[in-house]
Amino acid sequence: MQLSVIILNYNVRYFLEQCVLSVQSALEDIDGEIIVIDNNSQDDSCQMMRQRFPNIKLIQNKENAGFSKANNSAVAEACGEYICILNPDTVVAEDTFLKVLAFANKQFNLGIIGCKLIDGTGNFLRESKRGVPTPWVAFTKITGLYRLFSKSPLFGSYYAQHLNQDQTGKVAILVGAFMLMKRELYREVGGFDENCFMYSDDIDLSYMISKKGKFNYYFHETTVVHYKGESTIKDGTYMKRFQEAMNFFYQKHFSSDGFSSAFFSVFMKMGIVFFSFVKMFQGKSKVKSSPNSYLLFSSNEKLADKLRVVLQKKVSFHDLKTEKMVNSSSIKNKDRVEIILDNEFLSFKESIAILESLKNTGFTFKIIPKKANFLIGSNNSSERGEVIKIE
């Protein structure tokens, strides 16, 4: 078997459904398997999996075992030569795995491969590629120096800014939303460290693998949507766990350097205070606004009629059978129009391309997954997305 895709789920039933649909399509020409492991979700994630995807392996934990332990247990049951750790709030293109595996098979001393990640509005997620967060690199991030001197190797390491988003190359750290590697390499380093509940596990694994002389790569030739806000709500609990996770990483890898540990401790505390202030300000100032109208990309005009009833707003119909695809980044949307992409007639790859081509033009986006009764999307990578049932 070539590939095992591991999807760890926790209370994101609708995003999981869309993710699994996209992965199924991406594995059609690959000898692969999907393993979904659920960390004791309280929604109907498992029921949905049993009903809609009865042939996919589902592991149900009786408690929230955390990111590391749950993924390790799933990988232990995987059969693929390669594994891909994948977040449930992602959407892969139909050729994502074909492209990544082709690249992987050409590399020497391969570590982990990550890919180009965008949020639900089509914007690039900088954490797709990162450097090792040494105390100095953490300092440049907290103080914003990485923004002022982004081209400098001294200041631009946090987001591996020696590479631009459309340039494949070696990086130190990749994000746990999408990590593809040899299964034997994962097992050789012991997988994710189970002493870390979450948040620095991907940093630690990337670092451990690079220390073995392997090369981690950021691969830009395929794009994956990561809604991001579904897997992390940045509240007080998040901040506590994030601090614990970073303390874990520094104690594990830098504890022998007393100055570095003290340096990290001071600036971590500064960063947490600054982060909390920013989140408090954002929470008070940000007001969510709903679209004034919708534009449906589909070939099913009856669906447009149904959406008009459900959404109680104007729904324009862009017939994919007769009209050319909208593909102009020069379009400016001043009327708060939301584009709805019908996966029955648009592939996931085409939908991702639309998000990228119309980013920063004022549009927001929802997808109707194939044979699903809901719209799904996210307009903000820091907050939960939106699911609208249409039946």
Short mmCIF file of all heavy atoms in Angstrom, two decimals, residues 203-251:
data_model
loop_
_atom_site.label_atom_id
_atom_site.label_comp_id
_atom_site.label_asym_id
_atom_site.label_seq_id
_atom_site.Cartn_x
_atom_site.Cartn_y
_atom_site.Cartn_z
N ILE A 203 6.05 20.78 15.80
CA ILE A 203 7.38 21.39 15.87
C ILE A 203 8.40 20.35 16.34
O ILE A 203 9.48 20.19 15.76
CB ILE A 203 7.39 22.60 16.83
CG1 ILE A 203 6.43 23.68 16.31
CG2 ILE A 203 8.79 23.16 16.99
CD1 ILE A 203 6.24 24.84 17.29
N ASP A 204 8.04 19.63 17.39
CA ASP A 204 8.95 18.63 17.96
C ASP A 204 9.26 17.52 16.96
O ASP A 204 10.42 17.14 16.79
CB ASP A 204 8.32 18.04 19.22
CG ASP A 204 9.21 16.99 19.87
OD1 ASP A 204 10.31 17.33 20.31
OD2 ASP A 204 8.78 15.82 19.90
N LEU A 205 8.23 17.00 16.28
CA LEU A 205 8.45 15.92 15.31
C LEU A 205 9.33 16.40 14.16
O LEU A 205 10.26 15.71 13.74
CB LEU A 205 7.12 15.40 14.78
CG LEU A 205 7.21 14.22 13.80
CD1 LEU A 205 7.80 12.99 14.48
CD2 LEU A 205 5.84 13.89 13.21
N SER A 206 9.04 17.59 13.63
CA SER A 206 9.85 18.14 12.54
C SER A 206 11.30 18.27 12.98
O SER A 206 12.23 17.93 12.23
CB SER A 206 9.32 19.52 12.13
OG SER A 206 7.99 19.46 11.65
N TYR A 207 11.50 18.78 14.19
CA TYR A 207 12.85 19.01 14.70
C TYR A 207 13.59 17.69 14.93
O TYR A 207 14.77 17.56 14.57
CB TYR A 207 12.76 19.81 16.00
CG TYR A 207 14.08 20.31 16.52
CD1 TYR A 207 14.86 21.17 15.76
CD2 TYR A 207 14.54 19.92 17.79
CE1 TYR A 207 16.09 21.64 16.25
CE2 TYR A 207 15.75 20.39 18.28
CZ TYR A 207 16.52 21.25 17.51
OH TYR A 207 17.71 21.72 17.99
N MET A 208 12.89 16.70 15.51
CA MET A 208 13.50 15.40 15.75
C MET A 208 13.95 14.75 14.44
O MET A 208 15.02 14.15 14.36
CB MET A 208 12.51 14.49 16.48
CG MET A 208 12.21 14.91 17.92
SD MET A 208 13.63 14.70 19.02
CE MET A 208 13.76 12.90 19.05
N ILE A 209 13.12 14.86 13.42
CA ILE A 209 13.45 14.25 12.13
C ILE A 209 14.62 14.97 11.46
O ILE A 209 15.51 14.34 10.88
CB ILE A 209 12.20 14.21 11.23
CG1 ILE A 209 11.26 13.09 11.73
CG2 ILE A 209 12.56 14.00 9.76
CD1 ILE A 209 9.95 12.99 11.00
N SER A 210 14.65 16.29 11.56
CA SER A 210 15.77 17.03 10.96
C SER A 210 17.08 16.73 11.68
O SER A 210 18.16 16.71 11.07
CB SER A 210 15.48 18.53 10.97
OG SER A 210 15.42 19.03 12.28
N LYS A 211 17.00 16.47 12.99
CA LYS A 211 18.20 16.13 13.74
C LYS A 211 18.78 14.78 13.31
O LYS A 211 19.95 14.49 13.57
CB LYS A 211 17.89 16.11 15.24
CG LYS A 211 17.77 17.50 15.87
CD LYS A 211 17.31 17.42 17.32
CE LYS A 211 18.33 16.77 18.21
NZ LYS A 211 17.90 16.77 19.64
N LYS A 212 17.99 13.95 12.67
CA LYS A 212 18.47 12.66 12.17
C LYS A 212 19.14 12.80 10.79
O LYS A 212 19.49 11.80 10.16
CB LYS A 212 17.31 11.66 12.08
CG LYS A 212 16.79 11.21 13.43
CD LYS A 212 15.77 10.11 13.29
CE LYS A 212 16.37 8.82 12.76
NZ LYS A 212 17.33 8.23 13.71
N GLY A 213 19.27 14.04 10.31
CA GLY A 213 19.90 14.25 9.02
C GLY A 213 18.95 14.17 7.85
O GLY A 213 19.38 14.13 6.69
N LYS A 214 17.65 14.16 8.15
CA LYS A 214 16.64 14.14 7.08
C LYS A 214 16.26 15.57 6.70
O LYS A 214 16.43 16.51 7.48
CB LYS A 214 15.39 13.38 7.55
CG LYS A 214 15.66 11.96 8.02
CD LYS A 214 16.15 11.06 6.90
CE LYS A 214 16.35 9.62 7.37
NZ LYS A 214 16.82 8.73 6.28
N PHE A 215 15.73 15.71 5.50
CA PHE A 215 15.36 17.03 4.99
C PHE A 215 13.84 17.17 4.91
O PHE A 215 13.16 16.37 4.26
CB PHE A 215 15.98 17.26 3.61
CG PHE A 215 17.48 17.19 3.60
CD1 PHE A 215 18.14 16.21 2.88
CD2 PHE A 215 18.24 18.11 4.34
CE1 PHE A 215 19.52 16.14 2.87
CE2 PHE A 215 19.62 18.04 4.33
CZ PHE A 215 20.28 17.06 3.60
N ASN A 216 13.33 18.20 5.57
CA ASN A 216 11.92 18.53 5.48
C ASN A 216 11.70 19.53 4.35
O ASN A 216 12.53 20.42 4.14
CB ASN A 216 11.42 19.13 6.80
CG ASN A 216 11.58 18.18 7.97
OD1 ASN A 216 11.50 16.96 7.81
ND2 ASN A 216 11.78 18.73 9.16
N TYR A 217 10.58 19.37 3.65
CA TYR A 217 10.32 20.22 2.48
C TYR A 217 8.95 20.89 2.55
O TYR A 217 7.96 20.27 2.94
CB TYR A 217 10.35 19.39 1.19
CG TYR A 217 11.73 18.94 0.77
CD1 TYR A 217 12.24 17.72 1.21
CD2 TYR A 217 12.52 19.71 -0.08
CE1 TYR A 217 13.51 17.29 0.82
CE2 TYR A 217 13.78 19.29 -0.47
CZ TYR A 217 14.27 18.08 -0.03
OH TYR A 217 15.51 17.65 -0.42
N TYR A 218 8.93 22.14 2.15
CA TYR A 218 7.69 22.83 1.81
C TYR A 218 7.50 22.67 0.31
O TYR A 218 8.37 23.02 -0.48
CB TYR A 218 7.78 24.31 2.18
CG TYR A 218 6.69 25.16 1.56
CD1 TYR A 218 5.37 25.09 2.03
CD2 TYR A 218 6.97 26.02 0.51
CE1 TYR A 218 4.37 25.85 1.45
CE2 TYR A 218 5.97 26.80 -0.07
CZ TYR A 218 4.68 26.71 0.40
OH TYR A 218 3.69 27.47 -0.18
N PHE A 219 6.34 22.11 -0.10
CA PHE A 219 6.04 21.80 -1.50
C PHE A 219 4.88 22.68 -1.94
O PHE A 219 3.76 22.55 -1.44
CB PHE A 219 5.69 20.32 -1.62
CG PHE A 219 5.35 19.86 -3.01
CD1 PHE A 219 6.32 19.79 -3.99
CD2 PHE A 219 4.06 19.47 -3.33
CE1 PHE A 219 6.02 19.35 -5.27
CE2 PHE A 219 3.74 19.04 -4.60
CZ PHE A 219 4.72 18.97 -5.58
N HIS A 220 5.14 23.59 -2.90
CA HIS A 220 4.14 24.60 -3.24
C HIS A 220 3.22 24.21 -4.40
O HIS A 220 2.27 24.93 -4.70
CB HIS A 220 4.84 25.92 -3.62
CG HIS A 220 5.32 25.97 -5.05
ND1 HIS A 220 6.48 25.36 -5.49
CD2 HIS A 220 4.76 26.53 -6.15
CE1 HIS A 220 6.63 25.57 -6.77
NE2 HIS A 220 5.60 26.28 -7.21
N GLU A 221 3.46 23.06 -5.02
CA GLU A 221 2.75 22.75 -6.26
C GLU A 221 1.37 22.15 -6.07
O GLU A 221 0.72 21.75 -7.04
CB GLU A 221 3.62 21.84 -7.13
CG GLU A 221 4.89 22.52 -7.63
CD GLU A 221 5.73 21.62 -8.49
OE1 GLU A 221 5.16 20.78 -9.21
OE2 GLU A 221 6.98 21.73 -8.44
N THR A 222 0.91 22.05 -4.85
CA THR A 222 -0.48 21.70 -4.59
C THR A 222 -0.96 22.53 -3.41
O THR A 222 -0.18 22.82 -2.49
CB THR A 222 -0.67 20.20 -4.31
OG1 THR A 222 -2.06 19.90 -4.23
CG2 THR A 222 0.00 19.78 -3.01
N THR A 223 -2.23 22.93 -3.47
CA THR A 223 -2.79 23.79 -2.43
C THR A 223 -3.89 23.06 -1.69
O THR A 223 -4.74 22.40 -2.30
CB THR A 223 -3.38 25.08 -3.06
OG1 THR A 223 -2.33 25.76 -3.77
CG2 THR A 223 -3.94 26.00 -1.99
N VAL A 224 -3.87 23.18 -0.37
CA VAL A 224 -4.86 22.56 0.50
C VAL A 224 -5.51 23.65 1.34
O VAL A 224 -4.83 24.52 1.86
CB VAL A 224 -4.20 21.49 1.42
CG1 VAL A 224 -5.16 21.02 2.50
CG2 VAL A 224 -3.70 20.31 0.58
N VAL A 225 -6.84 23.60 1.46
CA VAL A 225 -7.54 24.53 2.34
C VAL A 225 -7.44 24.03 3.77
O VAL A 225 -7.69 22.86 4.05
CB VAL A 225 -9.03 24.67 1.95
CG1 VAL A 225 -9.75 25.62 2.91
CG2 VAL A 225 -9.18 25.16 0.51
N HIS A 226 -7.06 24.93 4.67
CA HIS A 226 -7.09 24.63 6.10
C HIS A 226 -7.90 25.72 6.78
O HIS A 226 -7.44 26.85 6.93
CB HIS A 226 -5.67 24.60 6.68
CG HIS A 226 -5.62 24.28 8.13
ND1 HIS A 226 -4.62 24.70 8.98
CD2 HIS A 226 -6.50 23.60 8.93
CE1 HIS A 226 -4.86 24.28 10.20
NE2 HIS A 226 -6.00 23.62 10.21
N TYR A 227 -9.11 25.35 7.18
CA TYR A 227 -9.99 26.35 7.78
C TYR A 227 -9.44 26.86 9.11
O TYR A 227 -9.72 27.97 9.52
CB TYR A 227 -11.40 25.79 7.95
CG TYR A 227 -12.10 25.57 6.62
CD1 TYR A 227 -12.32 24.28 6.12
CD2 TYR A 227 -12.52 26.64 5.87
CE1 TYR A 227 -12.96 24.08 4.91
CE2 TYR A 227 -13.17 26.45 4.65
CZ TYR A 227 -13.38 25.17 4.17
OH TYR A 227 -14.01 24.98 2.98
N LYS A 228 -8.67 26.05 9.77
CA LYS A 228 -7.84 26.43 10.91
C LYS A 228 -8.60 26.79 12.17
O LYS A 228 -8.33 26.26 13.23
CB LYS A 228 -6.93 27.61 10.51
CG LYS A 228 -5.85 27.93 11.55
CD LYS A 228 -4.98 29.07 11.07
CE LYS A 228 -4.00 29.50 12.14
NZ LYS A 228 -3.16 30.63 11.70
N GLY A 229 -9.55 27.70 12.11
CA GLY A 229 -10.29 28.10 13.30
C GLY A 229 -11.09 26.97 13.92
O GLY A 229 -11.46 27.02 15.09
N GLU A 230 -11.35 25.92 13.14
CA GLU A 230 -12.12 24.77 13.66
C GLU A 230 -11.31 23.97 14.66
O GLU A 230 -11.85 23.41 15.60
CB GLU A 230 -12.55 23.86 12.51
CG GLU A 230 -13.54 24.50 11.58
CD GLU A 230 -14.74 25.05 12.32
OE1 GLU A 230 -15.42 24.29 13.03
OE2 GLU A 230 -14.99 26.26 12.23
N SER A 231 -10.02 23.89 14.44
CA SER A 231 -9.19 23.03 15.30
C SER A 231 -8.63 23.77 16.50
O SER A 231 -8.16 23.15 17.44
CB SER A 231 -8.03 22.44 14.47
OG SER A 231 -7.32 23.45 13.81
N THR A 232 -8.67 25.09 16.47
CA THR A 232 -8.09 25.86 17.57
C THR A 232 -8.94 27.09 17.85
O THR A 232 -8.98 28.00 17.04
CB THR A 232 -6.66 26.32 17.23
OG1 THR A 232 -5.87 25.18 16.93
CG2 THR A 232 -6.05 27.07 18.39
N ILE A 233 -9.61 27.13 18.99
CA ILE A 233 -10.28 28.33 19.46
C ILE A 233 -9.34 29.01 20.44
O ILE A 233 -8.97 28.45 21.46
CB ILE A 233 -11.62 28.01 20.13
CG1 ILE A 233 -12.56 27.33 19.13
CG2 ILE A 233 -12.25 29.27 20.68
CD1 ILE A 233 -12.89 28.18 17.93
N LYS A 234 -8.92 30.23 20.12
CA LYS A 234 -7.89 30.90 20.92
C LYS A 234 -8.51 31.59 22.12
O LYS A 234 -8.77 32.78 22.11
CB LYS A 234 -7.11 31.86 20.03
CG LYS A 234 -6.27 31.13 18.99
CD LYS A 234 -5.50 32.08 18.11
CE LYS A 234 -4.51 31.32 17.23
NZ LYS A 234 -5.12 30.33 16.39
N ASP A 235 -8.73 30.81 23.18
CA ASP A 235 -9.27 31.34 24.42
C ASP A 235 -8.25 31.11 25.54
O ASP A 235 -7.09 30.79 25.29
CB ASP A 235 -10.61 30.68 24.74
CG ASP A 235 -10.51 29.16 24.77
OD1 ASP A 235 -9.37 28.63 24.78
OD2 ASP A 235 -11.56 28.49 24.80
N GLY A 236 -8.70 31.25 26.80
CA GLY A 236 -7.80 31.08 27.93
C GLY A 236 -7.21 29.68 28.00
O GLY A 236 -6.03 29.49 28.33
N THR A 237 -8.03 28.67 27.68
CA THR A 237 -7.53 27.28 27.70
C THR A 237 -6.46 27.09 26.66
O THR A 237 -5.43 26.43 26.89
CB THR A 237 -8.70 26.31 27.45
OG1 THR A 237 -9.68 26.48 28.47
CG2 THR A 237 -8.20 24.87 27.46
N TYR A 238 -6.69 27.68 25.47
CA TYR A 238 -5.68 27.60 24.41
C TYR A 238 -4.35 28.19 24.88
O TYR A 238 -3.28 27.59 24.70
CB TYR A 238 -6.16 28.35 23.17
CG TYR A 238 -5.05 28.68 22.19
CD1 TYR A 238 -4.59 27.73 21.29
CD2 TYR A 238 -4.47 29.94 22.18
CE1 TYR A 238 -3.55 28.03 20.41
CE2 TYR A 238 -3.44 30.25 21.31
CZ TYR A 238 -3.00 29.30 20.42
OH TYR A 238 -1.97 29.59 19.56
N MET A 239 -4.40 29.38 25.49
CA MET A 239 -3.17 30.04 25.91
C MET A 239 -2.43 29.21 26.96
O MET A 239 -1.20 29.12 26.93
CB MET A 239 -3.48 31.43 26.45
CG MET A 239 -3.90 32.43 25.39
SD MET A 239 -2.73 32.50 24.00
CE MET A 239 -1.23 32.98 24.84
N LYS A 240 -3.17 28.61 27.87
CA LYS A 240 -2.53 27.79 28.90
C LYS A 240 -1.84 26.59 28.26
O LYS A 240 -0.68 26.28 28.58
CB LYS A 240 -3.58 27.32 29.91
CG LYS A 240 -3.03 26.47 31.05
CD LYS A 240 -4.15 26.13 32.04
CE LYS A 240 -3.61 25.30 33.22
NZ LYS A 240 -3.15 23.97 32.80
N ARG A 241 -2.52 25.92 27.35
CA ARG A 241 -1.94 24.74 26.72
C ARG A 241 -0.80 25.11 25.79
O ARG A 241 0.18 24.37 25.66
CB ARG A 241 -3.02 23.96 25.97
CG ARG A 241 -3.96 23.21 26.92
CD ARG A 241 -4.99 22.41 26.17
NE ARG A 241 -5.78 21.59 27.08
CZ ARG A 241 -6.88 20.94 26.73
NH1 ARG A 241 -7.33 21.02 25.48
NH2 ARG A 241 -7.55 20.21 27.62
N PHE A 242 -0.91 26.27 25.13
CA PHE A 242 0.16 26.71 24.25
C PHE A 242 1.43 26.98 25.05
O PHE A 242 2.53 26.58 24.65
CB PHE A 242 -0.27 27.97 23.50
CG PHE A 242 0.78 28.49 22.56
CD1 PHE A 242 0.99 27.89 21.34
CD2 PHE A 242 1.56 29.59 22.90
CE1 PHE A 242 1.97 28.36 20.47
CE2 PHE A 242 2.53 30.06 22.04
CZ PHE A 242 2.73 29.45 20.82
N GLN A 243 1.29 27.63 26.19
CA GLN A 243 2.44 27.90 27.04
C GLN A 243 3.06 26.59 27.53
O GLN A 243 4.29 26.42 27.52
CB GLN A 243 2.05 28.77 28.23
CG GLN A 243 3.24 29.14 29.12
CD GLN A 243 2.85 30.00 30.30
OE1 GLN A 243 1.69 30.06 30.67
NE2 GLN A 243 3.83 30.66 30.89
N GLU A 244 2.23 25.66 27.95
CA GLU A 244 2.73 24.36 28.40
C GLU A 244 3.48 23.64 27.27
O GLU A 244 4.52 23.03 27.49
CB GLU A 244 1.56 23.49 28.87
CG GLU A 244 0.91 23.96 30.17
CD GLU A 244 -0.36 23.20 30.49
OE1 GLU A 244 -0.83 22.44 29.62
OE2 GLU A 244 -0.89 23.37 31.61
N ALA A 245 2.92 23.75 26.05
CA ALA A 245 3.53 23.06 24.91
C ALA A 245 4.89 23.65 24.58
O ALA A 245 5.86 22.92 24.32
CB ALA A 245 2.60 23.16 23.70
N MET A 246 4.99 24.98 24.57
CA MET A 246 6.27 25.60 24.25
C MET A 246 7.29 25.36 25.35
O MET A 246 8.48 25.16 25.09
CB MET A 246 6.08 27.09 24.00
CG MET A 246 5.28 27.40 22.74
SD MET A 246 5.91 26.55 21.26
CE MET A 246 7.52 27.30 21.08
N ASN A 247 6.84 25.36 26.60
CA ASN A 247 7.74 25.01 27.70
C ASN A 247 8.28 23.60 27.53
O ASN A 247 9.46 23.32 27.77
CB ASN A 247 7.03 25.15 29.04
CG ASN A 247 7.00 26.58 29.54
OD1 ASN A 247 7.93 27.33 29.32
ND2 ASN A 247 5.93 26.95 30.22
N PHE A 248 7.39 22.70 27.11
CA PHE A 248 7.80 21.32 26.86
C PHE A 248 8.91 21.27 25.80
O PHE A 248 9.93 20.60 25.99
CB PHE A 248 6.59 20.49 26.41
CG PHE A 248 6.95 19.25 25.64
CD1 PHE A 248 7.36 18.11 26.29
CD2 PHE A 248 6.89 19.25 24.25
CE1 PHE A 248 7.72 16.97 25.58
CE2 PHE A 248 7.24 18.11 23.53
CZ PHE A 248 7.66 16.97 24.19
N PHE A 249 8.71 21.98 24.70
CA PHE A 249 9.68 21.94 23.60
C PHE A 249 11.03 22.49 24.05
O PHE A 249 12.08 21.90 23.78
CB PHE A 249 9.14 22.74 22.41
CG PHE A 249 10.08 22.77 21.24
CD1 PHE A 249 10.23 21.65 20.43
CD2 PHE A 249 10.82 23.91 20.94
CE1 PHE A 249 11.11 21.67 19.35
CE2 PHE A 249 11.69 23.93 19.87
CZ PHE A 249 11.84 22.81 19.06
N TYR A 250 11.02 23.62 24.75
CA TYR A 250 12.27 24.22 25.18
C TYR A 250 12.98 23.38 26.25
O TYR A 250 14.21 23.25 26.23
CB TYR A 250 12.04 25.65 25.68
CG TYR A 250 11.97 26.62 24.53
CD1 TYR A 250 10.76 26.89 23.92
CD2 TYR A 250 13.13 27.20 24.03
CE1 TYR A 250 10.69 27.76 22.85
CE2 TYR A 250 13.06 28.07 22.94
CZ TYR A 250 11.85 28.35 22.36
OH TYR A 250 11.78 29.20 21.28
N GLN A 251 12.22 22.81 27.17
CA GLN A 251 12.84 21.96 28.18
C GLN A 251 13.46 20.72 27.54
O GLN A 251 14.52 20.24 27.96
CB GLN A 251 11.81 21.55 29.24
CG GLN A 251 11.39 22.69 30.15
CD GLN A 251 12.56 23.26 30.94
OE1 GLN A 251 13.39 22.53 31.46
NE2 GLN A 251 12.63 24.59 31.02
#
